[in-house]
Amino acid sequence: MRAVLVSSHTGHAVGWDEARELAYVAAEPLRPRAVPLAQALGTVLAEPLIAPAAFPPCDRSAMDGYAVRGPGPWMVIGTIRAGSNSPGRLTDGQAMAVVTGAAVPLGTYAVLPDEDVLREGDRVHGTVGPKRHIRYAGEECRAGEVLLPAGTPIRAAVLGHAAALGLDHLTVIPRPRVAALVTGDELVTSGMPGPGRTRDAIGPMLPGLLHQATALPLRRVPDSRQRLVTALAGAEADLILVSGSSAAGPADHLRPALDSLGASLLVDGVACRPGHPQALAILPDGRLVIGLPGNPLAALTAFLTLAVPAIAGLRGEPLAFLPTAPIRGGLDCHPASTRLVPVRLRDGAAEPVGHGGSAMLRGVAMADALAVVEPGPATAITARLLPLTQGEHSWGV
Protein backbone atom coordinates (compact mmCIF):
# COMPACT_ATOMS: atom_id res chain seq x y z
CA MET A 1 0.00 0.00 0.00
CA ARG A 2 1.13 3.57 -0.69
CA ALA A 3 0.21 4.78 2.79
CA VAL A 4 -2.32 4.30 5.57
CA LEU A 5 -4.98 6.92 6.27
CA VAL A 6 -4.99 7.18 10.04
CA SER A 7 -7.68 9.75 10.60
CA SER A 8 -10.88 11.14 9.14
CA HIS A 9 -11.44 14.83 8.53
CA THR A 10 -15.14 14.98 9.30
CA GLY A 11 -16.54 18.29 10.43
CA HIS A 12 -13.87 20.72 9.31
CA ALA A 13 -12.34 21.81 6.03
CA VAL A 14 -8.83 20.63 5.21
CA GLY A 15 -6.26 22.65 3.32
CA TRP A 16 -6.20 22.44 -0.46
CA ASP A 17 -2.82 20.71 -0.71
CA GLU A 18 -3.74 18.29 2.05
CA ALA A 19 -6.96 17.43 0.23
CA ARG A 20 -5.04 16.61 -2.97
CA GLU A 21 -2.63 14.41 -1.03
CA LEU A 22 -5.43 12.61 0.81
CA ALA A 23 -7.20 11.83 -2.46
CA TYR A 24 -3.99 10.53 -3.99
CA VAL A 25 -3.07 8.38 -1.00
CA ALA A 26 -6.58 6.93 -0.73
CA ALA A 27 -6.44 5.69 -4.33
CA GLU A 28 -4.44 2.49 -4.46
CA PRO A 29 -3.28 1.47 -7.97
CA LEU A 30 -5.67 -0.95 -9.61
CA ARG A 31 -4.76 -4.61 -9.99
CA PRO A 32 -2.49 -5.19 -13.02
CA ARG A 33 -3.64 -7.29 -15.94
CA ALA A 34 -2.23 -8.41 -19.28
CA VAL A 35 -4.07 -6.88 -22.24
CA PRO A 36 -3.60 -7.00 -26.04
CA LEU A 37 -1.62 -4.10 -27.44
CA ALA A 38 -4.76 -2.62 -28.99
CA GLN A 39 -6.27 -2.22 -25.50
CA ALA A 40 -3.17 -0.82 -23.79
CA LEU A 41 -3.13 2.73 -25.16
CA GLY A 42 -3.61 5.30 -22.40
CA THR A 43 -2.86 2.89 -19.56
CA VAL A 44 0.33 2.58 -17.50
CA LEU A 45 2.93 -0.19 -17.47
CA ALA A 46 2.48 -2.30 -14.34
CA GLU A 47 5.89 -3.93 -14.74
CA PRO A 48 9.05 -3.04 -16.63
CA LEU A 49 9.12 -3.59 -20.37
CA ILE A 50 11.90 -6.14 -20.93
CA ALA A 51 13.30 -7.08 -24.30
CA PRO A 52 12.40 -10.73 -25.01
CA ALA A 53 15.25 -10.99 -27.51
CA ALA A 54 17.95 -8.89 -29.13
CA PHE A 55 16.63 -6.28 -31.55
CA PRO A 56 17.26 -6.23 -34.41
CA PRO A 57 17.53 -10.01 -34.32
CA CYS A 58 20.02 -9.98 -37.23
CA ASP A 59 22.07 -7.51 -39.23
CA ARG A 60 19.68 -5.52 -41.45
CA SER A 61 19.93 -2.96 -44.20
CA ALA A 62 19.02 0.59 -43.24
CA MET A 63 18.64 1.67 -46.88
CA ASP A 64 17.46 0.47 -50.25
CA GLY A 65 20.62 -0.35 -52.20
CA TYR A 66 23.34 -2.99 -52.40
CA ALA A 67 25.04 -5.00 -49.70
CA VAL A 68 28.72 -5.03 -50.71
CA ARG A 69 31.96 -6.60 -49.58
CA GLY A 70 35.49 -5.37 -50.26
CA PRO A 71 36.51 -2.53 -52.57
CA GLY A 72 34.38 -1.75 -55.62
CA PRO A 73 33.30 -2.11 -58.29
CA TRP A 74 31.15 -5.06 -57.29
CA MET A 75 29.55 -7.86 -59.22
CA VAL A 76 25.82 -8.18 -58.47
CA ILE A 77 25.14 -11.84 -57.72
CA GLY A 78 21.49 -11.66 -56.67
CA THR A 79 18.67 -9.90 -54.85
CA ILE A 80 17.57 -10.31 -51.24
CA ARG A 81 13.82 -10.13 -50.96
CA ALA A 82 12.09 -8.59 -47.95
CA GLY A 83 11.42 -11.30 -45.40
CA SER A 84 14.12 -13.66 -46.71
CA ASN A 85 15.54 -15.93 -44.01
CA SER A 86 18.57 -17.03 -46.07
CA PRO A 87 20.42 -13.98 -47.37
CA GLY A 88 23.54 -16.00 -48.18
CA ARG A 89 27.16 -14.85 -48.03
CA LEU A 90 29.31 -12.36 -49.90
CA THR A 91 32.95 -12.61 -50.88
CA ASP A 92 35.21 -9.72 -51.86
CA GLY A 93 33.99 -7.88 -54.94
CA GLN A 94 30.42 -9.13 -54.69
CA ALA A 95 27.13 -7.29 -54.09
CA MET A 96 23.48 -8.19 -53.56
CA ALA A 97 20.52 -5.87 -53.98
CA VAL A 98 18.66 -5.25 -50.69
CA VAL A 99 15.67 -3.27 -49.45
CA THR A 100 15.36 -1.39 -46.19
CA GLY A 101 14.87 -3.79 -43.29
CA ALA A 102 16.03 -6.89 -45.15
CA ALA A 103 18.69 -9.13 -43.59
CA VAL A 104 22.10 -8.55 -45.17
CA PRO A 105 24.35 -11.42 -46.29
CA LEU A 106 27.13 -12.69 -44.10
CA GLY A 107 30.34 -10.81 -44.74
CA THR A 108 28.62 -7.53 -45.69
CA TYR A 109 31.02 -4.60 -45.44
CA ALA A 110 28.41 -1.86 -45.95
CA VAL A 111 25.21 -1.02 -47.81
CA LEU A 112 25.66 1.25 -50.82
CA PRO A 113 22.45 3.35 -51.15
CA ASP A 114 20.63 3.37 -54.49
CA GLU A 115 21.13 7.12 -54.87
CA ASP A 116 24.93 6.67 -54.73
CA VAL A 117 25.05 3.80 -57.25
CA LEU A 118 26.24 3.81 -60.84
CA ARG A 119 25.26 0.49 -62.43
CA GLU A 120 26.84 -0.87 -65.59
CA GLY A 121 25.35 -4.23 -66.52
CA ASP A 122 26.02 -6.66 -63.67
CA ARG A 123 28.42 -4.30 -61.93
CA VAL A 124 27.80 -1.42 -59.51
CA HIS A 125 30.15 1.44 -58.77
CA GLY A 126 30.13 3.84 -55.83
CA THR A 127 31.78 4.90 -52.61
CA VAL A 128 30.70 3.91 -49.11
CA GLY A 129 32.46 3.75 -45.76
CA PRO A 130 32.75 0.61 -43.62
CA LYS A 131 29.64 -0.45 -41.64
CA ARG A 132 27.54 2.30 -43.21
CA HIS A 133 23.76 1.86 -43.47
CA ILE A 134 23.65 -1.39 -41.52
CA ARG A 135 21.54 -1.92 -38.41
CA TYR A 136 23.49 -4.51 -36.48
CA ALA A 137 21.93 -7.29 -34.41
CA GLY A 138 21.23 -6.09 -30.85
CA GLU A 139 21.95 -2.46 -31.78
CA GLU A 140 18.71 -1.21 -30.21
CA CYS A 141 18.56 -3.60 -27.27
CA ARG A 142 19.90 -6.85 -25.87
CA ALA A 143 17.80 -9.79 -24.73
CA GLY A 144 16.67 -9.21 -21.14
CA GLU A 145 17.42 -5.48 -21.18
CA VAL A 146 15.00 -3.25 -19.24
CA LEU A 147 13.64 -0.83 -21.81
CA LEU A 148 10.96 1.09 -19.89
CA PRO A 149 10.26 1.16 -16.15
CA ALA A 150 6.99 0.30 -14.48
CA GLY A 151 4.79 3.37 -14.30
CA THR A 152 5.51 4.50 -17.87
CA PRO A 153 2.38 5.87 -19.58
CA ILE A 154 1.62 3.82 -22.68
CA ARG A 155 1.51 6.07 -25.72
CA ALA A 156 1.51 5.22 -29.41
CA ALA A 157 5.31 4.97 -29.60
CA VAL A 158 5.38 2.51 -26.69
CA LEU A 159 2.89 0.29 -28.50
CA GLY A 160 4.97 0.44 -31.68
CA HIS A 161 8.12 -0.44 -29.73
CA ALA A 162 6.42 -3.40 -28.06
CA ALA A 163 5.11 -4.66 -31.40
CA ALA A 164 8.54 -4.32 -33.02
CA LEU A 165 9.96 -6.51 -30.23
CA GLY A 166 7.42 -9.21 -31.06
CA LEU A 167 5.15 -8.68 -28.05
CA ASP A 168 1.38 -9.17 -28.33
CA HIS A 169 0.38 -8.21 -24.75
CA LEU A 170 1.48 -5.76 -22.08
CA THR A 171 0.87 -5.98 -18.34
CA VAL A 172 -0.76 -2.70 -17.40
CA ILE A 173 -2.59 -0.88 -14.66
CA PRO A 174 -5.97 -0.45 -16.37
CA ARG A 175 -7.88 2.78 -16.70
CA PRO A 176 -10.10 3.32 -13.66
CA ARG A 177 -13.82 3.06 -14.23
CA VAL A 178 -15.56 6.28 -13.17
CA ALA A 179 -19.30 6.60 -12.62
CA ALA A 180 -20.93 10.04 -12.48
CA LEU A 181 -24.19 10.62 -10.60
CA VAL A 182 -25.74 14.04 -11.26
CA THR A 183 -28.37 15.12 -8.75
CA GLY A 184 -30.71 18.10 -8.72
CA ASP A 185 -34.45 18.09 -9.39
CA GLU A 186 -34.13 21.66 -10.72
CA LEU A 187 -31.84 20.62 -13.61
CA VAL A 188 -32.89 20.51 -17.25
CA THR A 189 -30.78 18.93 -19.98
CA SER A 190 -31.84 20.86 -23.08
CA GLY A 191 -33.02 24.27 -24.13
CA MET A 192 -33.38 27.41 -22.05
CA PRO A 193 -34.31 26.75 -18.41
CA GLY A 194 -37.57 28.19 -17.16
CA PRO A 195 -38.13 30.04 -13.86
CA GLY A 196 -36.77 28.04 -10.95
CA ARG A 197 -34.94 25.65 -13.24
CA THR A 198 -31.22 25.43 -14.14
CA ARG A 199 -29.55 24.08 -17.25
CA ASP A 200 -27.14 21.31 -16.28
CA ALA A 201 -23.56 22.36 -17.11
CA ILE A 202 -21.72 19.76 -15.02
CA GLY A 203 -22.95 16.69 -16.89
CA PRO A 204 -21.67 17.94 -20.28
CA MET A 205 -18.28 18.79 -18.73
CA LEU A 206 -17.58 15.42 -17.13
CA PRO A 207 -16.85 13.28 -20.22
CA GLY A 208 -14.17 15.74 -21.33
CA LEU A 209 -12.59 15.68 -17.89
CA LEU A 210 -12.34 11.89 -17.77
CA HIS A 211 -10.00 11.19 -20.69
CA GLN A 212 -7.57 9.38 -18.33
CA ALA A 213 -10.32 7.01 -17.19
CA THR A 214 -13.12 4.88 -18.55
CA ALA A 215 -16.23 6.99 -18.13
CA LEU A 216 -19.36 4.93 -17.48
CA PRO A 217 -22.70 6.26 -18.71
CA LEU A 218 -23.79 9.30 -16.71
CA ARG A 219 -26.77 8.76 -14.42
CA ARG A 220 -29.22 11.38 -13.19
CA VAL A 221 -30.51 10.77 -9.69
CA PRO A 222 -33.51 12.56 -8.12
CA ASP A 223 -33.06 14.49 -4.88
CA SER A 224 -33.84 11.47 -2.72
CA ARG A 225 -31.63 9.98 -0.04
CA GLN A 226 -32.78 6.43 -0.75
CA ARG A 227 -32.38 6.82 -4.52
CA LEU A 228 -28.85 8.11 -3.97
CA VAL A 229 -28.05 5.21 -1.63
CA THR A 230 -29.28 2.77 -4.27
CA ALA A 231 -27.27 4.46 -7.02
CA LEU A 232 -24.09 4.48 -4.93
CA ALA A 233 -24.49 0.87 -3.90
CA GLY A 234 -25.04 -0.26 -7.48
CA ALA A 235 -22.31 1.73 -9.21
CA GLU A 236 -19.80 -0.78 -10.59
CA ALA A 237 -16.91 1.65 -10.65
CA ASP A 238 -13.57 2.32 -8.99
CA LEU A 239 -14.47 5.98 -8.44
CA ILE A 240 -17.92 7.53 -8.13
CA LEU A 241 -18.51 11.24 -8.69
CA VAL A 242 -21.64 12.76 -7.17
CA SER A 243 -22.47 16.31 -8.22
CA GLY A 244 -24.96 18.66 -6.63
CA SER A 245 -25.41 16.93 -3.29
CA SER A 246 -22.25 17.70 -1.35
CA ALA A 247 -23.33 20.72 0.70
CA ALA A 248 -25.56 20.78 3.79
CA GLY A 249 -28.90 21.94 2.37
CA PRO A 250 -32.23 20.09 2.58
CA ALA A 251 -31.67 18.51 -0.86
CA ASP A 252 -28.06 17.50 -0.17
CA HIS A 253 -28.18 13.81 0.70
CA LEU A 254 -24.62 12.65 0.03
CA ARG A 255 -23.29 12.54 3.58
CA PRO A 256 -26.34 10.74 5.05
CA ALA A 257 -26.22 8.30 2.13
CA LEU A 258 -22.54 7.61 2.72
CA ASP A 259 -23.18 7.11 6.41
CA SER A 260 -25.93 4.58 5.72
CA LEU A 261 -23.52 2.64 3.47
CA GLY A 262 -20.82 2.54 6.15
CA ALA A 263 -18.42 4.78 4.24
CA SER A 264 -15.44 6.50 5.87
CA LEU A 265 -15.50 10.24 5.22
CA LEU A 266 -11.89 11.29 4.59
CA VAL A 267 -12.45 14.89 3.48
CA ASP A 268 -15.46 16.91 4.63
CA GLY A 269 -14.93 20.27 2.97
CA VAL A 270 -11.81 21.90 1.55
CA ALA A 271 -10.53 25.36 2.42
CA CYS A 272 -10.66 26.71 -1.15
CA ARG A 273 -12.71 29.24 -3.08
CA PRO A 274 -14.65 28.26 -5.12
CA GLY A 275 -15.36 24.63 -4.33
CA HIS A 276 -15.45 24.56 -0.53
CA PRO A 277 -18.29 21.98 -0.05
CA GLN A 278 -16.53 18.97 -1.57
CA ALA A 279 -16.10 15.55 -0.03
CA LEU A 280 -14.04 12.39 -0.31
CA ALA A 281 -15.13 9.05 1.13
CA ILE A 282 -14.22 5.39 0.80
CA LEU A 283 -16.88 2.67 0.83
CA PRO A 284 -16.31 -0.58 2.75
CA ASP A 285 -15.50 -2.41 -0.52
CA GLY A 286 -12.77 0.12 -1.39
CA ARG A 287 -14.66 2.21 -3.97
CA LEU A 288 -13.96 5.92 -3.71
CA VAL A 289 -16.70 8.55 -3.72
CA ILE A 290 -16.10 12.24 -4.44
CA GLY A 291 -18.77 14.83 -3.81
CA LEU A 292 -18.75 17.79 -6.21
CA PRO A 293 -20.62 21.03 -5.45
CA GLY A 294 -23.61 21.90 -7.62
CA ASN A 295 -22.23 25.18 -9.01
CA PRO A 296 -20.30 24.52 -12.25
CA LEU A 297 -16.97 26.23 -11.51
CA ALA A 298 -17.04 24.93 -7.93
CA ALA A 299 -17.60 21.42 -9.33
CA LEU A 300 -14.68 21.82 -11.72
CA THR A 301 -12.32 23.01 -8.99
CA ALA A 302 -13.42 20.12 -6.78
CA PHE A 303 -12.76 17.70 -9.64
CA LEU A 304 -9.26 19.13 -10.09
CA THR A 305 -8.66 19.05 -6.33
CA LEU A 306 -9.84 15.53 -5.51
CA ALA A 307 -10.70 13.54 -8.64
CA VAL A 308 -7.53 14.23 -10.63
CA PRO A 309 -5.22 13.03 -7.82
CA ALA A 310 -7.49 10.03 -7.16
CA ILE A 311 -7.42 9.00 -10.83
CA ALA A 312 -3.63 9.39 -10.88
CA GLY A 313 -3.39 7.14 -7.83
CA LEU A 314 -5.67 4.50 -9.33
CA ARG A 315 -3.57 4.57 -12.53
CA GLY A 316 -0.32 4.15 -10.61
CA GLU A 317 1.00 7.54 -11.71
CA PRO A 318 2.69 10.21 -9.57
CA LEU A 319 0.78 13.19 -8.27
CA ALA A 320 1.30 15.92 -10.87
CA PHE A 321 3.81 18.68 -10.18
CA LEU A 322 2.28 22.14 -10.56
CA PRO A 323 4.49 24.75 -12.26
CA THR A 324 4.77 28.30 -10.93
CA ALA A 325 4.35 31.54 -12.86
CA PRO A 326 4.27 35.26 -12.03
CA ILE A 327 0.81 36.86 -11.88
CA ARG A 328 0.44 39.99 -13.96
CA GLY A 329 -1.00 42.65 -11.63
CA GLY A 330 -1.08 40.26 -8.67
CA LEU A 331 -4.07 38.61 -7.01
CA ASP A 332 -5.51 39.27 -3.58
CA CYS A 333 -5.13 36.37 -1.17
CA HIS A 334 -8.03 35.03 0.89
CA PRO A 335 -7.23 35.15 4.61
CA ALA A 336 -8.05 31.47 5.23
CA SER A 337 -8.68 29.67 1.94
CA THR A 338 -6.81 28.86 -1.25
CA ARG A 339 -8.19 30.80 -4.21
CA LEU A 340 -8.48 29.08 -7.60
CA VAL A 341 -8.57 31.82 -10.22
CA PRO A 342 -8.95 31.45 -14.03
CA VAL A 343 -5.90 32.87 -15.83
CA ARG A 344 -4.47 33.09 -19.33
CA LEU A 345 -0.76 32.48 -19.95
CA ARG A 346 0.84 35.35 -21.84
CA ASP A 347 4.61 35.81 -22.32
CA GLY A 348 5.41 33.56 -19.35
CA ALA A 349 3.01 35.27 -16.93
CA ALA A 350 -0.48 34.42 -15.67
CA GLU A 351 -3.11 37.02 -16.49
CA PRO A 352 -6.45 36.88 -14.60
CA VAL A 353 -9.45 36.80 -16.93
CA GLY A 354 -12.21 37.53 -14.40
CA HIS A 355 -15.61 35.84 -14.23
CA GLY A 356 -14.41 33.46 -11.53
CA GLY A 357 -17.56 33.09 -9.42
CA SER A 358 -18.57 29.61 -8.34
CA ALA A 359 -21.53 29.51 -10.78
CA MET A 360 -19.61 31.00 -13.73
CA LEU A 361 -17.88 29.16 -16.55
CA ARG A 362 -17.13 32.17 -18.75
CA GLY A 363 -13.75 32.80 -17.13
CA VAL A 364 -12.57 29.21 -17.19
CA ALA A 365 -13.75 28.82 -20.79
CA MET A 366 -11.28 31.59 -21.73
CA ALA A 367 -8.52 30.42 -19.40
CA ASP A 368 -5.46 28.21 -19.85
CA ALA A 369 -5.12 27.37 -16.15
CA LEU A 370 -6.32 28.04 -12.63
CA ALA A 371 -3.92 30.04 -10.49
CA VAL A 372 -3.55 28.43 -7.05
CA VAL A 373 -3.34 31.44 -4.72
CA GLU A 374 -2.25 30.51 -1.22
CA PRO A 375 -4.15 32.00 1.76
CA GLY A 376 -2.60 34.94 3.51
CA PRO A 377 -2.89 38.65 4.25
CA ALA A 378 -1.07 39.94 1.16
CA THR A 379 -1.25 40.07 -2.62
CA ALA A 380 0.21 37.09 -4.45
CA ILE A 381 2.68 37.95 -7.21
CA THR A 382 3.35 34.30 -8.14
CA ALA A 383 1.17 31.21 -8.04
CA ARG A 384 1.18 27.54 -8.97
CA LEU A 385 -0.88 26.65 -12.02
CA LEU A 386 -3.48 23.93 -12.60
CA PRO A 387 -3.54 23.49 -16.41
CA LEU A 388 -6.89 23.30 -18.15
CA THR A 389 -5.89 22.51 -21.74
CA GLN A 390 -5.61 18.89 -22.82
CA GLY A 391 -2.10 17.53 -22.80
CA GLU A 392 0.25 15.03 -21.24
CA HIS A 393 -0.26 16.19 -17.64
CA SER A 394 -3.42 18.27 -17.96
CA TRP A 395 -7.16 17.85 -17.96
CA GLY A 396 -9.42 19.10 -20.72
CA VAL A 397 -12.23 21.57 -20.18
Side-chain angles (χ1 to χ4, degrees):
M1 293 181 64
R2 183 183 289 115
V4 177
L5 293 165
V6 296
S7 63
S8 171
H9 291 266
T10 304
H12 69 279
V14 301
W16 187 79
D17 284 291
E18 184 182 1
R20 290 182 78 228
E21 183 65 31
L22 282 166
Y24 181 69
V25 169
E28 289 293 318
L30 298 176
R31 181 175 298 178
R33 67 170 182 255
V35 301
L37 297 187
Q39 298 177 19
L41 186 67
T43 63
V44 174
L45 283 176
E47 56 187 33
L49 179 62
I50 297 174
F55 189 78
C58 62
D59 296 347
R60 291 178 170 174
S61 176
M63 302 285 286
D64 292 346
Y66 292 85
V68 299
R69 177 168 176 174
W74 301 273
M75 174 68 70
V76 180
I77 63 170
T79 297
I80 302 168
R81 303 295 179 187
S84 172
N85 293 323
S86 302
R89 178 185 293 271
L90 293 176
T91 60
D92 285 350
Q94 292 181 332
M96 295 184 76
V98 293
V99 295
T100 302
V104 297
L106 296 175
T108 296
Y109 164 82
V111 171
L112 179 64
D114 277 338
E115 55 264 33
D116 297 333
V117 169
L118 173 62
R119 181 158 182 170
E120 296 178 338
D122 291 335
R123 291 186 177 275
V124 291
H125 302 257
T127 303
V128 65
K131 301 183 178 181
R132 291 285 292 159
H133 310 306
I134 298 175
R135 296 189 62 210
Y136 286 97
E139 180 178 279
E140 186 165 347
C141 60
R142 305 177 305 276
E145 186 176 351
V146 176
L147 305 174
L148 294 170
T152 298
I154 299 176
R155 303 181 181 90
V158 175
L159 294 180
H161 188 32
L165 295 169
L167 298 174
D168 297 316
H169 294 78
L170 289 173
T171 301
V172 305
I173 298 174
R175 289 173 176 264
R177 298 164 302 160
V178 180
L181 309 178
V182 176
T183 70
D185 291 343
E186 77 283 5
L187 297 179
V188 297
T189 59
S190 64
M192 292 289 292
R197 308 301 294 273
T198 301
R199 177 68 185 266
D200 175 32
I202 297 173
M205 278 199 299
L206 287 175
L209 294 169
L210 292 171
H211 64 275
Q212 295 286 70
T214 297
L216 302 179
L218 183 144
R219 289 189 58 189
R220 299 189 180 276
V221 181
D223 287 330
S224 157
R225 173 178 169 179
Q226 187 53 51
R227 295 287 290 273
L228 183 56
V229 168
T230 301
L232 287 168
E236 296 181 358
D238 306 298
L239 172 64
I240 307 168
L241 304 175
V242 182
S243 74
S245 191
S246 66
D252 295 312
H253 301 292
L254 178 59
R255 284 163 179 78
L258 291 171
D259 186 60
S260 68
L261 291 170
S264 298
L265 192 59
L266 308 176
V267 173
D268 189 8
V270 177
C272 67
R273 297 290 186 277
H276 166 76
Q278 52 187 289
L280 168 67
I282 184 166
L283 293 166
D285 59 9
R287 290 176 297 156
L288 294 174
V289 180
I290 291 176
L292 308 176
N295 280 320
L297 182 55
L300 175 59
T301 60
F303 181 91
L304 295 170
T305 301
L306 295 178
V308 168
I311 291 172
L314 292 168
R315 287 170 52 86
E317 294 182 314
L319 186 60
F321 168 79
L322 303 183
T324 300
I327 303 172
R328 187 166 288 121
L331 281 168
D332 292 337
C333 299
H334 187 279
S337 295
T338 298
R339 293 187 65 202
L340 300 167
V341 181
V343 294
R344 287 195 196 99
L345 302 181
R346 295 290 184 272
D347 300 321
E351 181 180 276
V353 298
H355 309 288
S358 64
M360 297 180 181
L361 290 176
R362 178 178 172 179
V364 80
M366 297 187 291
D368 300 310
L370 294 178
V372 181
V373 182
E374 305 291 347
T379 298
I381 58 172
T382 64
R384 289 175 294 159
L385 300 178
L386 271 171
L388 293 173
T389 52
Q390 292 202 23
E392 183 174 326
H393 299 296
S394 58
W395 295 78
V397 174

